[in-house]
Amino acid sequence: MEHKKRKALRMPTAYSILLLLIIFISLLTHLISGVRGATLAEVVMAIPEGFLDAIDVCLFILILGGFLGMVAKTGALDAGIASVVRRFQGREMVLIPILMLLFSLGGTTYGMAEETMAFYALITATMIAAGFDAMVGAATILVGAGVGVLGSTVNPFAVSAAIDALKSSGNGIEINQGVIILIGVILWITSLVVGTIFVMRYAKKVKSSGHSILSHAEQQAAKETYGEGGDKGGEAVPEKLPKRQRFVLVVFALSFLIMVVSLIPWESFGVTIFQNTSQLTGINLGEWYFQELQAWFLLSSILIAFVAKVPEREAIGAFVSGAADMIGVVFVIAVSRGISVIMSTTGLDLYVLDHASRALADVSPILFAVGGYFIYIGLSFLIPSTSGLAAASIPTFGGLAASLGLSPEVMIMIFCAASGVVNMVTPTSAVVMGGLSICRIEWPTWLKFVGKLLVVLIVINLIILSAAMLFF
């Protein structure tokens, strides 16, 4: 008797997971008194509304895809990656802590999150060429930037938004930003050390034994997108790149350098050298956001085509093809934003916030810190926007801390740390789902990989924050 082959169990795609979450939350609104039940029309329109809500980041990713397609057309990026891998041959592991430190700096200073989308394809290709797998590329960015946001020091989307929300609440609470920066630095450095060791241990295992947490399908998808990897990047690479390719790489590097510079709020740090830099977009560097970045990368694409002397028809084809590669990422982002739309339109987010604040009244400082942390973990799943969560919750929780004689500064850092942990894994985050999609990694695989790290980070965070609540 011929036995039928059993089909391997495959996890649902990101789209299915997010759609199920939209349906689950919609049904949940009908079971909670005090929350308006989601209508069929609101459920049906959640994804289109989410698309509109995320249109800026979606268009940015499409143009970025076109930009990368243009660079790929010139062959400069492949040659540049191969050159980097050759230079670090035998020392590939050094790339991981260097890159994670840089991404974490972006996270702690200006909340680098959506901006990392520009780097996933490049870093993943580099890591695969160096003999690692796509998970090392994804973790280098997601964990690197994530631990920076977790330990925010001057992040305007977390720290500044929280301080502004608390001051504007009319409670008359004074905030010592020096305390916030000190606690933020401690959270950032400890989390970065733990996260870097975790990623490097996994990378070493991949490099030495070929062991990968990725499924066969995920590995094949990554290979089809980014090549086989291994040491092939070091073969037949000239010592000196051709002049045109070097020019392309200069424009490529300059494009990302300007992006980073343009997003840091320099004036809030007392830096005024960029006050008269609005000639290109009408907005000074340091005040750019997605619309300005869209224009900048479109301009950079044209400049690369000119520098590399790519014929007009081939240049347009390369740009459109590159943008087409990002369509799946754009759809993931749109669907994930649909969850936030359902939450806000039904009032479920405010309901959860009100009941969570009541649970923290009349408890000890340590229980207040621990309870507040876990409440913010829950809230961050429901309200993935860091600045939105700060505006909605800090006046309540910061005011409650002050009324109990506890530190509102520590409460702000509890919010930053808890939301930072969640934003590394939540399927409601466009950054998580979009980044993983670019790396060709399914969300359940990422959850399996990063789960142990998150447990360790949560324990470390709770120890630091509980001690801070007692000390300050």
Side-chain angles (χ1 to χ4, degrees), residues 115-178:
E115 300 84 3
T116 61
M117 302 295 284
F119 297 98
Y120 279 96
L122 173 63
I123 300 300
T124 301
T126 301
M127 292 303 178
I128 290 176
F132 303 120
D133 64 2
M135 183 61 81
V136 176
T140 297
I141 301 173
L142 266 173
V143 176
V147 295
V149 174
L150 181 160
S152 291
T153 50
V154 291
N155 174 6
F157 303 107
V159 173
S160 299
I163 293 174
D164 181 67
L166 192 54
K167 287 183 176 180
S168 61
S169 66
N171 291 326
I173 300 171
E174 294 296 324
I175 297 297
N176 185 339
Q177 196 153 356

Side-chain angles (χ1 to χ4, degrees), residues 25 28-29 32 35 342-343 346-353 382:
I25 290 173
L28 190 62
T29 61
I32 301 175
V35 174
I342 290 290
M343 291 286 299
T346 60
L348 182 57
D349 51 357
L350 297 177
Y351 173 88
V352 172
L353 179 61
L382 301 176

Side-chain angles (χ1 to χ4, degrees), residues 10-23:
R10 297 189 65 182
M11 296 299 294
T13 64
Y15 304 102
S16 298
I17 292 170
L18 293 170
L19 282 169
L20 288 172
L21 278 173
I22 289 175
I23 294 170

Side-chain angles (χ1 to χ4, degrees), residues 96 119-142 199 202-203 206-207 210-215 217-230 435-442 445-446 449:
I96 296 172
F119 297 98
Y120 279 96
L122 173 63
I123 300 300
T124 301
T126 301
M127 292 303 178
I128 290 176
F132 303 120
D133 64 2
M135 183 61 81
V136 176
T140 297
I141 301 173
L142 266 173
V199 176
Y202 172 78
V206 174
K207 185 77 169 176
H211 171 78
S212 175
I213 198 171
L214 301 179
S215 67
E218 289 169 322
Q219 292 183 61
Q220 286 299 116
K223 286 177 181 178
E224 289 173 7
T225 305
Y226 300 110
E228 293 289 334
L436 293 178
S437 180
I438 292 173
C439 298
R440 305 299 185 259
I441 297 171
E442 297 293 339
T445 306
W446 170 249
F449 170 81

